[in-house]
Amino acid sequence: MIFYRQNLTDAKLLELYKRILKPRLIEEKMLILIRQGKVSKWFSGIGQEAIAVGVTAVLDESEYILPMHRNLGVFTTRDIPLHRLFSQWQGKANGFTKGRDRSFHFGTQEYKIIGMISHLGPQLGIADGIALADKLQNNKKITAAFTGEGATSEGDFHEALNIAAVWKLPVMFIIENNGYGLSTPTNEQYLCTNLADKGIGYGIESHIIDGNNILEVYNKLSELKEQMQNDPHPVLLEFKTFRMRGHEEASGTKYVPQELMDEWAEKDPVTNYRKFLTETGVLTAEFDEQLHAEIKQEIDENLAIANAEPEIIPTYSGELDDVYKPFIYEEVTHSEETKNIRFIDAIRNSLEQSMQNHRNLIIMGQDIAEYGGAFKITDGFVEFFGKDRVRNTPICESAVVSTGMGLSINGYKAIVEMQFADFVSTGFNPIVNLLAKSHYRWGEKADVVVRMPCGGGTQAGPFHSQTNEAWFTKTPGLKVVYPAFPYDAKGLLNTSINDPNPVLFFEHKQLYRSVYQDVPTDYYTIPLGKAAVLKEGNNVTIIAFGAPVHWALDTLANNPEIDADLIDLRTLQPLDTETIFASVKKTGKVIIYQEDTLFGGIASDISALIMEECFEYLDAPVKRVASLDSPIPFTKALEDQFLPKNRFEEVLFDLLKY
């Protein structure tokens, strides 16, 4: 192994040595603790320290790094107190996740480190969002995101690289090619000779770097960083390296040929760098011994601090209170000036006024810029707000959602428009595993609204007609809003954008141009979690949301003898159970009306809540009316049969007769 110091001073060479030695000595201690049963799990980075240390040493402390689970050198080079890391690994409160996640599955704004989730790929999209925020501010900052060779097979990898290339984002995509994805060797993972070649397909500059040579890592990345600052663009870096331990300690290394282990042992990044420094007279044996002693003492002292920390005592409130970032709703009232507009105009009006109120708000989606979106809601926005803030995206929902999370991390608000709610399935993972869990895991907000044009009645077939709110009401950490009227749509969308938590905002396509209402022309808000009682009666409670609210209104208009409470939920998460229970206790009968298919829909949960909380007030079984348990069909006759509109009255009258 050949080391080129270039213009680095002796002091810098020694600093890098101390940086690379520290994670190695911590790891050696951790292996002892694993054998003693004092740590439950460990993902070793022995043999790969030069990459994590070299990358982090090149970046400024204000620049974000997104490491993986064997990049201890990132955390130590950022000088995180070791007792906090030990507390994190032991699941104690002084760690970064309050015992809610393990090892390196955490982030910290204090040290500008954004931790991974086990699905790996989404963190690359987060890096895009962080870098986009930096580019918009023209602050010349660089973002570095780590991944392994195994994750380069994930769709998120390709989506994130493509976005970074198209938008010219200053991201270093770092592939630690250590030969194995758990036990699967590289020749069973991809066919190309070098992963760096994948950059060619995206028009991205790429390089292959010796990941075991700390000076090659540091010098090459220093050069690249300067270029990226002067001309923002992404780079793909493949670091050739090897992990000398198993995927995690329990898995061992029996699947690795011994000759391969021996070959890479000779390329050890710490041993070889020490040898170079010693031979060139930069490092003396005395100073090396002193460094070892100082670091080992630091490890022992900080481990003692963590060991003395008490175990976490769980409380219900402690857990539930951290699912969402606290949000103090600010009521903004409106003037009396109104205009009779359509549902779609109310959405547009909200977006327009919110973009004016929040200068850090970015809208992203397919065809939303010059074209104005599939439904023309953002038509003309580019001329008013510019393409920096109204951004066409490639067709890659997953990375776009992750990019929204990156924008949120770096001080922006994001709105992601799904062209159709059905397409959210290709962005499902970052919504339910990244946005939803970030605040609970490590206290980080996810200031992202995902707009969801949804619903049937337009003969658009199985892939453009679903109303899939139940996919998300089940997931703690998400808020789900589903208005039925223009007035509510505008006020609730304004509040959703103000809320720092992730919101799925459902907009029924059939209502876009068919429902009109007098809507205030100025900006106003409506609180989430508060239902609207549209009609009051004493004999039955009808609970609905979205298009079924209008269907129920038609039924009541055609049958004026029905004495009913009609509740428009408006928000599904949080759910206004107070209004629901009060009405049911008054009427004694309840029917829940949803467009979604029956089994597993939110009507089932509302029914269960009513049975638990209002059983003694009920005069009849709780009834649910929903679409057929089949995919939604295309032909009008089949779609009409699928939707619950033709079945509601019969069930309602049977309930009234009970």
Side-chain angles (χ1 to χ4, degrees):
M1 188 177 294
I2 302 174
F3 292 91
Y4 295 103
R5 65 180 296 169
Q6 295 187 13
N7 60 348
L8 299 180
T9 64
D10 286 359
K12 189 64 179 181
L13 294 175
L14 288 174
E15 179 192 336
L16 290 173
Y17 176 63
K18 183 177 180 179
R19 294 295 192 189
I20 198 173
L21 178 62
K22 190 172 185 177
R24 174 63 62 87
L25 295 180
I26 293 172
E27 288 234 38
E28 290 175 354
K29 184 69 172 184
M30 294 304 296
L31 296 180
I32 294 172
L33 297 177
I34 282 277
R35 289 193 292 271
Q36 293 175 344
K38 295 180 179 179
V39 176
S40 62
K41 203 173 189 71
W42 184 252
F43 297 89
S44 175
I46 288 178
Q48 300 181 199
E49 296 94 341
I51 306 170
V53 171
V55 170
T56 311
V58 166
L59 267 62
D60 298 335
E61 290 183 355
S62 63
E63 293 176 311
Y64 283 93
I65 302 180
L66 295 84
M68 293 183 69
H69 51 288
R70 59 182 90 258
N71 294 131
L72 174 59
V74 170
F75 299 85
T76 56
T77 304
R78 280 280 162 96
D79 291 322
I80 292 180
L82 294 188
H83 63 89
R84 292 207 66 191
L85 290 177
F86 290 135
S87 292
Q88 171 66 24
W89 302 333
Q90 293 180 25
K92 294 186 174 180
N94 198 40
F96 293 89
T97 64
K98 300 182 181 179
R100 294 167 182 160
D101 214 334
R102 63 187 183 187
S103 62
F104 294 108
H105 292 237
F106 71 91
T108 162
Q109 285 282 15
E110 181 181 358
Y111 297 96
K112 295 294 183 285
I113 295 174
I114 307 302
M116 57 176 288
I117 65 171
S118 291
H119 300 70
L120 306 180
Q123 71 190 54
L124 302 178
I126 296 174
D128 283 348
I130 292 172
L132 173 58
D134 285 332
K135 186 176 180 181
L136 291 173
Q137 297 173 79
N138 194 28
N139 59 22
K140 295 186 179 296
K141 291 183 180 179
I142 308 301
T143 302
F146 285 74
T147 194
E149 88 290 330
T152 64
S153 298
E154 291 188 342
D156 290 85
F157 171 84
H158 302 277
E159 291 186 13
L161 262 64
N162 192 45
I163 288 176
V166 172
W167 290 354
K168 300 187 186 308
L169 301 177
V171 181
M172 291 182 178
F173 292 103
I174 294 161
I175 305 172
E176 293 181 300
N177 190 344
N178 59 26
Y180 286 86
L182 208 159
S183 68
T184 305
T186 52
N187 63 358
E188 295 180 24
Q189 296 187 60
Y190 56 86
L191 192 59
C192 57
T193 302
N194 299 303
L195 289 170
D197 295 340
K198 291 179 182 283
I200 297 171
Y202 300 104
I204 291 179
E205 176 185 352
S206 61
H207 301 272
I208 298 172
I209 299 173
D210 181 354
N212 284 29
N213 187 323
I214 182 67
L215 295 190
E216 184 174 336
V217 174
Y218 183 82
N219 288 323
K220 184 61 179 178
L221 266 62
S222 297
E223 172 191 329
L224 289 171
K225 178 182 175 179
E226 184 177 358
Q227 295 172 5
M228 294 167 70
Q229 287 176 316
N230 295 326
D231 174 25
H233 65 277
V235 295
L236 179 63
L237 305 170
E238 180 184 2
F239 292 87
K240 303 287 190 179
T241 187
F242 195 76
R243 53 173 166 82
M244 300 303 295
R245 310 291 300 183
H247 171 73
E248 41 84 28
E249 285 306 304
S251 65
T253 57
K254 289 183 179 179
Y255 49 85
V256 182
Q258 186 58 46
E259 57 269 23
L260 192 58
M261 296 289 291
D262 295 341
E263 175 187 342
W264 280 96
E266 294 179 4
K267 301 177 182 179
D268 183 280
V270 178
T271 302
N272 281 288
Y273 187 49
R274 179 190 296 122
K275 181 181 178 184
F276 163 75
L277 294 178
T278 302
E279 290 176 348
T280 54
V282 175
L283 176 68
T284 64
E286 293 76 18
F287 186 64
D288 189 24
E289 184 177 337
Q290 177 186 335
L291 276 181
H292 276 73
E294 289 176 356
I295 294 172
K296 287 180 178 180
Q297 182 179 352
E298 181 185 1
I299 292 170
D300 290 340
E301 289 175 352
N302 281 267
L303 189 57
I305 294 172
N307 288 339
E309 188 181 346
E311 299 295 328
I312 287 176
I313 300 175
T315 64
Y316 287 128
S317 61
E319 291 298 280
L320 296 175
D321 289 350
D322 278 350
V323 173
Y324 298 98
K325 180 178 176 61
F327 170 53
I328 300 175
Y329 167 71
E330 181 179 348
E331 183 177 6
V332 180
T333 57
H334 52 75
S335 65
E336 294 183 2
E337 181 183 346
T338 63
K339 185 177 181 181
N340 191 256
I341 60 175
R342 303 167 299 176
F343 190 105
I344 197 168
D345 303 321
I347 297 291
R348 175 188 173 88
N349 199 205
S350 168
L351 293 175
E352 243 176 350
Q353 293 178 353
S354 292
M355 288 285 277
Q356 292 166 357
N357 287 351
H358 301 286
R359 298 294 179 178
N360 64 338
L361 177 59
I362 308 295
I363 303 179
M364 300 180 290
Q366 295 162 27
D367 306 300
I368 68 164
E370 290 85 354
Y371 186 73
F375 301 98
K376 300 299 182 182
I377 290 177
T378 52
D379 190 22
F381 274 36
V382 167
E383 288 80 2
F384 196 82
F385 299 109
K387 287 201 73 169
D388 278 349
R389 297 184 64 197
V390 184
R391 307 185 73 90
N392 281 335
T393 69
I395 300 177
C396 51
E397 286 83 1
S398 187
V400 175
V401 172
S402 298
T403 298
M405 180 68 193
L407 284 167
S408 173
I409 285 171
N410 206 3
Y412 280 72
K413 287 178 171 288
I415 296 175
V416 176
E417 177 185 303
M418 293 291 155
Q419 198 166 71
F420 293 88
D422 314 67
F423 299 166
V424 76
S425 55
T426 57
F428 191 72
N429 175 40
I431 292 175
V432 300
N433 285 313
L434 180 59
L435 302 186
K437 296 177 172 61
S438 289
H439 190 267
Y440 172 78
R441 287 174 57 240
W442 58 281
E444 179 60 30
K445 70 184 187 305
D447 201 343
V448 182
V449 174
V450 182
R451 290 184 44 239
M452 302 278 282
C454 65
T458 59
Q459 292 81 61
F463 302 126
H464 296 78
S465 306
Q466 295 175 87
T467 173
N468 44 9
E469 67 278 351
W471 294 3
F472 305 101
T473 53
K474 173 68 180 71
T475 304
L478 299 176
K479 296 187 178 182
V480 181
V481 181
Y482 204 145
F485 295 94
Y487 175 83
D488 293 336
K490 179 177 176 178
L492 290 169
L493 183 53
N494 287 337
T495 302
S496 298
I497 293 168
N498 293 339
D499 195 321
N501 294 285
V503 179
L504 278 294
F505 195 90
F506 284 81
E507 306 163 12
H508 200 289
K509 306 189 304 293
Q510 197 178 43
L511 304 182
Y512 271 160
R513 291 176 169 85
S514 65
V515 177
Y516 287 74
Q517 195 177 27
D518 290 336
V519 176
T521 56
D522 54 358
Y523 182 90
Y524 63 94
T525 58
I526 297 173
L528 305 188
K530 184 63 179 173
V533 180
L534 303 182
K535 287 187 174 294
E536 294 192 40
N538 297 298
N539 293 341
V540 66
T541 297
I542 302 171
I543 300 171
F545 56 93
V549 172
H550 297 277
W551 302 342
L553 283 169
D554 290 342
T555 296
L556 294 178
N558 293 330
N559 300 276
E561 74 279 8
I562 298 177
D563 188 26
D565 267 5
L566 175 57
I567 298 174
D568 175 7
L569 292 177
R570 302 196 296 188
T571 303
L572 308 182
Q573 182 61 267
L575 184 66
D576 185 359
T577 55
E578 182 179 349
T579 296
I580 293 171
F581 295 159
S583 176
V584 173
K585 289 175 181 179
K586 177 181 68 171
T587 67
K589 293 180 179 179
V590 58
I591 184 169
I592 308 164
Y593 197 5
Q594 70 180 28
E595 183 178 337
D596 194 8
T597 52
L598 183 63
F599 189 85
I602 192 170
S604 300
D605 273 288
I606 295 172
S607 175
L609 286 167
I610 291 170
M611 293 294 288
E612 289 173 357
E613 300 295 330
C614 305
F615 180 76
E616 64 269 31
Y617 296 91
L618 291 173
D619 297 323
V622 176
K623 291 295 183 180
R624 297 171 296 150
V625 180
S627 294
L628 297 181
D629 282 323
S630 74
I632 182 169
F634 153 61
T635 302
K636 186 178 188 309
L638 293 176
E639 187 184 50
D640 287 346
Q641 175 183 260
F642 168 84
L643 293 169
K645 196 172 180 181
N646 295 328
R647 295 184 292 278
F648 176 70
E649 283 194 21
E650 180 182 351
V651 178
L652 175 60
F653 281 116
D654 285 346
L655 176 61
L656 288 169
K657 289 184 232 175
Y658 189 90

